Amino acid sequence: MKVEQLITNPKKSIIGLSIPMILSLFLTMINNLADAMWVSGLGSDALAAIGIVTPLFIIIIGLGIGLSAGVNSSVARFIGRGDMKNAGNSATHGVILSIIVSIIIPGLIVLFLDPLLIAIGGANVLGLAHEYGVWIISGGFTIIIQNIYCGIFRSENKGVKATLPIGVAAALNIILDPIFIYNLNMGVAGAAIATVLSNFIGLLMYLYWSYVKNDNTIDVRSYSRNMAIYKDIISVGVPASAEQIIMSLFSMVVNVILVWVATTDSVAVYTTVWRLISIGVMLPVGFGTGGISVFGALFGARKTESIMESFSYIHKIGFIGSIAMAVILAVFSPYLAMLFGGAGLNDEIASVTILLCPYVVFASWSIISGCILQSFGRGDLSLGFTFFKQIILTLVFIWLLLWMGENGVYWGIVIANFVGSLIQLIFTYRYVKGIQKYY
């Protein structure tokens, strides 16, 4: 697919970029499930330990996703203006930022790992959580830098190259997990090492394509320091990263509440079900992520009519896809729960999965709207809505329903998601209409 298609045929570009992304996300989610599935054979404590570490790992993933969104948005807008020189320069700025962040943030998390694990409810499984966390966090650089190159290839409308290494890493991890966990007798640490090694292989694929085969349309080797470009990337990347960190804080808070109102088994159930819910929302995530390049290019080219048409189109396919995924999760929840039979929590996992299925349906509104705002360079607005929905609304509704115990926590999450997502959808629609009037 050519770069020009981002502007001349946005609907086709959305599908062309989204399908490889969705396939890659699917493999990644299956990969996450594989970690939990294999570790469940070690018992519920091991499964809970991974669940406790997950919010910290989400911070690492969030940094990669956020910086990727910043680079993707910046490069796509330069491409939309026909400025290929600065498009390449922007990509290189993003790579440099990712290397700096990859050294500082994981290093700080590892340095204070045990106090952090205790603070988020991991005292009862501290040994196992530390064993898993020190490896998975230390290898976080592979995730952060890998996401930057994924964003660069997406901004060039090269969906397959953008997502293939992520899919390869996920597939490789599924193969390596049982070998490291059981054959090499490394336990939960083996699951983390398999993940890091697999992601490193994916990163090497990006580096080979960019600097050996020179497969990029833009020049990713060029670098002329421009603080305005750094500011542009950060203006989207930092809020987008902060959104993921808020999601991580949200998970930490839910874990603590569940330990308070129930047991650590509830944490194992919730974190396992959330992996299934993550599969449920992969369609709007894929459409939204693919849409960043398209909406960014259209915005740079001032194609306001195409922006409005694409807005309606991407939300329609995202919502329909989310309904289908929610139905599939609900129908097959008993069979999906059987994958984690080693922890002895099948019935609980199945029932909570059904309870959280409405979350999948309405999350498409906020996920896609957030990506559209990021593509316009308004990551601050997307961040504001995420904070409002995930922290303020969720805590309010959980508190109101806490008399229901564990189920009150889940219903609070579902209701807050519906209310917050609806408000964000309405706001983003009005924002896009405002762009039409302004330009």
Side-chain angles (χ1 to χ4, degrees):
M1 298 174 67
K2 296 180 179 180
V3 170
E4 292 80 9
Q5 264 192 357
L6 291 169
I7 298 170
T8 59
N9 199 338
K11 291 182 181 179
K12 183 177 180 181
S13 294
I14 288 172
I15 297 298
L17 286 168
S18 299
I19 289 176
M21 190 70 197
I22 290 168
L23 292 174
S24 177
L25 283 169
F26 178 73
L27 282 175
T28 301
M29 299 307 176
I30 293 297
N31 169 25
N32 291 336
L33 284 176
D35 267 359
M37 181 181 71
W38 288 113
V39 169
S40 70
L42 301 174
S44 61
D45 279 353
L47 193 59
I50 288 185
I52 292 293
V53 174
T54 296
L56 297 177
F57 187 48
I58 288 174
I59 293 176
I60 304 297
I61 296 173
L63 290 169
I65 292 173
L67 288 174
S68 176
V71 173
N72 191 353
S73 175
S74 179
V75 173
R77 279 181 276 123
F78 278 125
I79 289 174
R81 297 175 197 140
D83 189 351
M84 302 302 286
K85 180 179 178 181
N86 270 322
N89 197 24
S90 177
T92 309
H93 279 66
V95 172
I96 293 171
L97 273 175
S98 72
I99 294 171
I100 295 171
V101 170
S102 294
I103 295 171
I104 296 174
I105 303 301
L108 288 174
I109 293 177
V110 169
L111 185 62
F112 298 102
L113 183 59
D114 282 0
L116 287 170
L117 291 173
I118 292 172
I120 58 177
N124 293 336
V125 290
L126 183 60
L128 289 169
H130 177 92
E131 191 179 341
Y132 179 78
V134 71
W135 283 104
I136 201 74
I137 302 299
S138 297
F141 73 94
T142 59
I143 291 283
I144 296 172
I145 301 175
Q146 187 184 82
N147 268 282
I148 293 298
Y149 286 99
C150 177
I152 292 170
F153 278 108
R154 279 204 314 270
S155 66
E156 297 176 319
N157 211 6
K158 295 180 178 178
V160 174
K161 274 193 165 59
T163 54
L164 182 59
I166 298 175
V168 168
L172 185 60
N173 189 35
I174 292 171
I175 296 170
L176 293 180
D177 257 345
I179 296 173
F180 279 83
I181 295 171
Y182 297 108
N183 293 68
L184 298 180
N185 199 31
M186 299 180 73
V188 291
I193 293 170
T195 299
V196 173
L197 180 60
S198 301
N199 286 327
F200 184 70
I201 298 299
L203 175 58
L204 290 179
M205 292 177 65
Y206 283 122
L207 296 177
Y208 174 72
W209 286 337
S210 296
Y211 302 108
V212 178
K213 290 193 68 180
N214 298 314
D215 281 343
N216 296 94
T217 304
I218 58 178
D219 184 6
V220 295
R221 296 173 181 270
S222 65
Y223 178 70
S224 176
R225 190 176 66 177
N226 186 329
M227 297 309 294
I229 291 179
Y230 277 124
K231 183 179 178 181
D232 185 38
I233 294 172
I234 290 172
S235 70
V236 174
V238 169
S241 296
E243 285 187 52
Q244 300 300 316
I245 293 172
I246 287 172
M247 293 292 292
S248 178
L249 291 173
F250 158 76
S251 296
M252 294 178 193
V253 171
V254 171
N255 286 345
V256 171
I257 294 173
L258 286 172
V259 170
W260 178 45
V261 301
T263 65
T264 53
D265 279 357
S266 296
V267 174
V269 170
Y270 167 70
T271 54
T272 300
V273 170
W274 205 252
R275 294 171 191 268
L276 297 174
I277 297 301
S278 296
I279 291 179
V281 300
M282 69 180 178
L283 291 183
V285 170
F287 291 133
T289 305
I292 291 177
S293 298
V294 176
F295 284 97
L298 291 173
F299 184 72
R302 302 294 190 261
K303 300 290 185 180
T304 56
E305 290 297 326
S306 294
I307 290 175
M308 192 68 244
E309 290 176 8
S310 300
F311 176 89
S312 301
Y313 176 73
I314 196 171
H315 269 293
K316 181 172 69 175
I317 59 176
F319 188 65
I320 293 172
S322 295
I323 292 174
M325 292 301 297
V327 171
I328 291 171
L329 283 178
V331 171
F332 291 98
S333 58
Y335 307 102
L336 292 170
M338 290 172 63
L339 296 174
F340 311 98
L345 301 169
N346 293 28
D347 292 340
E348 292 87 346
I349 290 172
S351 62
V352 174
T353 299
I354 293 172
L355 200 158
L356 289 178
C357 277
Y359 182 98
V360 173
V361 175
F362 301 111
S364 68
W365 295 344
S366 59
I367 291 170
I368 292 174
S369 294
C371 289
I372 292 172
L373 290 172
Q374 289 170 11
S375 72
F376 298 152
R378 295 309 308 268
D380 56 332
L381 293 175
S382 181
L383 170 61
F385 278 110
T386 299
F387 181 82
F388 175 67
K389 184 185 76 169
Q390 296 298 141
I391 301 299
I392 297 177
L393 283 180
T394 301
L395 288 179
V396 167
F397 281 108
I398 286 177
W399 180 76
L400 290 173
L401 299 172
L402 205 54
W403 58 273
M404 297 173 62
E406 185 179 346
N407 282 342
V409 175
Y410 301 135
W411 276 113
I413 293 170
V414 170
I415 296 171
N417 174 67
F418 170 74
V419 174
S421 296
L422 179 60
I423 293 172
Q424 186 172 359
L425 173 65
I426 294 170
F427 175 88
T428 308
Y429 173 79
R430 292 176 65 87
Y431 190 91
V432 171
K433 294 291 287 185
I435 289 175
Q436 280 187 308
K437 294 179 181 178
Y438 184 78
Y439 292 112

